[in-house]
Amino acid sequence: MNLLGLNIAQLQDVATEMGLPRFAAKQMGQWLYQKHVRSVDEMTNLSKQARERLKENYEVGAAEPLQMLKSVDGTEKYLFPTSSGKLVETVFIPDGERATLCVSTQVGCKMNCLFCQTGKQGFEGNLTVSDILAQVSWAIRERGLSNLVFMGQGEPFDNLDNVMKALELLTSDDGYAWSPKRITVSTVGLKKNLRRFLDESQCHLAVSLHSPIHEQRLQLMPAERQFAIADIVELLREYDFAHQRRLSFEYIVFRGVNDSKVHADALLKLLRGLDCRVNLIRFHHIPDVGLEGTDDTSMTEFRDYLTNHGLFTTIRASRGEDIMAACGLLSTKAKKEEKS
């Protein structure tokens, strides 16, 4: 069983089970979440006898990537093994003093968004808390991090129990002790779980929008049928985003699909009065999908129109295009190679 992913109460249970003193739980927590050890043997303030006893039933669970790709722009993509024997992608994005890790929460995804390679894999399982934190711990240890975004493979709110446990460990004093302001969680808008996240966490929220028009968003994102963006926005209006927590909407811009003045006006109407920002994203092409990214001029005009009408809008820099930047491409390639 993995120690990584256990909170202080669970580590106290482990200490009791192994016949170790109660304070050993705090020691283990510090090794796991402050020093990011790879093995029980590195927990050197536990006696050798205690470490041997602990190793009989437990291991740290600090998985390391099986494959790494590095872009010319410095972006790195990793292929991590999971406790279920599957593979999942993680992306490291350095940008000056900022170093962001894009974390995955599921193997595959149920949402089946038209523009997403991960959705075309189908759903193969939720990541455990240990699987999620293994991505983070390795990157902190080997690369150093300033920020986390839960925007990798999978829908975080479809694995909310494990995501919330990971967030608790990331932000608690007995865990990594990160500020929630350093963490953003993305969702297509699973309404019930969205409310739970907003009530129980102070991390930033990013909502995948991609079209403000119901019929079109439904074509792009089947989740719109059950979780209409208009309903999601109404729920969000119940919460305060004017202070610590930030609300953003992710909007991949497709040529001739969602980049017109009609769409801009519909966005302005949908989000009017909501304290938020819109992030425009360039489309990374995936196989067998007849969508194209819009050109830079059209994207800039779209941004300027929204900004000039009072909706704060940015264009996210495109990163890692030479290393299969779109989520799911690397793990799909690895799966095909396994079968061949």
Side-chain angles (χ1 to χ4, degrees):
M1 182 175 175
N2 290 340
L3 294 171
L4 190 66
L6 300 184
N7 61 28
I8 193 67
Q10 292 168 318
L11 290 173
Q12 286 171 350
D13 290 340
V14 170
T16 300
E17 175 194 344
M18 294 290 101
L20 305 179
R22 192 172 177 83
F23 64 77
K26 191 169 186 66
Q27 292 174 316
M28 286 188 281
Q30 289 172 339
W31 286 112
L32 292 168
Y33 305 123
Q34 300 300 320
K35 300 178 181 179
H36 317 295
V37 296
R38 294 175 170 87
S39 70
V40 171
D41 286 326
E42 294 177 70
M43 299 180 179
T44 52
N45 60 353
L46 297 179
S47 70
K48 189 173 190 302
Q49 183 182 23
R51 280 178 274 153
E52 291 301 321
R53 200 179 309 157
L54 197 56
K55 287 192 297 182
E56 291 175 7
N57 294 312
Y58 294 94
E59 60 182 354
V60 169
E64 302 202 2
L66 301 176
Q67 185 177 354
M68 298 193 301
L69 300 177
K70 185 167 184 176
S71 168
V72 293
D73 64 21
T75 300
E76 297 179 0
K77 176 170 269 198
Y78 316 124
L79 197 62
F80 274 92
T82 69
S83 54
S84 64
K86 306 291 186 180
L87 298 172
V88 70
E89 297 173 25
T90 310
V91 180
F92 172 71
I93 308 165
D95 186 12
E97 295 183 358
R98 188 181 178 94
T100 301
L101 192 72
C102 183
V103 180
S104 291
T105 57
Q106 295 181 308
V107 182
C109 185
K110 299 175 188 174
M111 300 301 109
N112 197 27
C113 296
L114 177 62
F115 47 82
C116 179
Q117 184 65 39
T118 300
K120 301 189 183 317
Q121 294 179 355
F123 176 69
E124 296 186 59
N126 288 325
L127 296 194
T128 65
V129 183
S130 181
D131 290 331
I132 294 170
L133 294 181
Q135 303 167 66
V136 178
S137 283
W138 184 88
I140 290 175
R141 188 175 64 239
E142 300 296 332
R143 297 293 184 268
L145 294 178
S146 64
N147 296 83
L148 289 175
V149 292
F150 283 69
M151 296 182 182
Q153 291 182 274
E155 163 55 54
F157 288 3
D158 192 38
N159 185 19
L160 190 61
D161 284 344
N162 288 338
V163 168
M164 292 299 288
K165 290 173 185 174
L167 292 176
E168 175 61 27
L169 281 165
L170 285 163
T171 57
S172 71
D173 291 339
D174 290 321
Y176 294 84
W178 276 39
S179 165
K181 292 186 290 185
R182 299 171 64 185
I183 303 170
T184 301
V185 183
S186 175
T187 180
V188 301
L190 278 64
K191 194 171 181 181
K192 179 181 176 181
N193 288 350
L194 171 58
R195 187 179 291 280
R196 179 184 163 195
F197 169 79
L198 292 171
D199 289 341
E200 297 180 16
S201 171
Q202 287 301 310
C203 295
H204 298 316
L205 175 68
V207 177
S208 297
L209 202 163
H210 310 307
S211 176
I213 300 169
H214 169 73
E215 294 78 11
Q216 186 179 63
R217 189 171 187 262
L218 181 59
Q219 291 179 341
L220 294 170
M221 306 171 67
E224 169 73 8
R225 186 178 307 281
Q226 189 173 357
F227 307 108
I229 192 61
D231 295 338
I232 297 304
V233 169
E234 286 309 303
L235 185 156
L236 293 171
R237 292 187 188 280
E238 299 176 22
Y239 293 84
D240 180 8
F241 296 99
H243 297 96
Q244 295 295 316
R245 175 188 278 159
R246 185 174 64 240
L247 171 64
S248 59
F249 290 89
E250 308 297 292
Y251 196 96
I252 300 175
V253 190
F254 304 109
R255 182 195 301 271
V257 175
N258 64 350
D259 58 351
S260 70
K261 182 177 178 295
V262 170
H263 292 89
D265 286 334
L267 267 176
L268 291 168
K269 181 178 179 181
L270 176 69
L271 303 180
R272 184 172 293 122
L274 195 60
D275 200 319
C276 66
R277 67 177 64 188
V278 173
N279 293 323
L280 303 181
I281 303 168
R282 291 176 174 83
F283 177 53
H284 291 291
H285 181 72
I286 63 173
D288 304 318
V289 171
L291 294 169
E292 296 180 6
T294 197
D295 60 89
D296 287 348
T297 299
S298 297
M299 183 173 281
T300 300
E301 290 173 352
F302 196 79
R303 178 202 62 192
D304 292 348
Y305 185 86
L306 293 174
T307 299
N308 291 337
H309 286 78
L311 181 56
F312 180 49
T313 306
T314 64
I315 297 175
R316 186 184 296 167
S318 184
R319 302 292 298 269
E321 291 195 58
D322 56 322
I323 56 166
M324 297 181 282
C327 276
L329 289 177
L330 181 57
S331 54
T332 297
K333 179 174 181 287
K335 284 172 66 176
K336 288 180 178 177
E337 289 173 351
E338 281 182 0
K339 293 177 181 178
S340 62

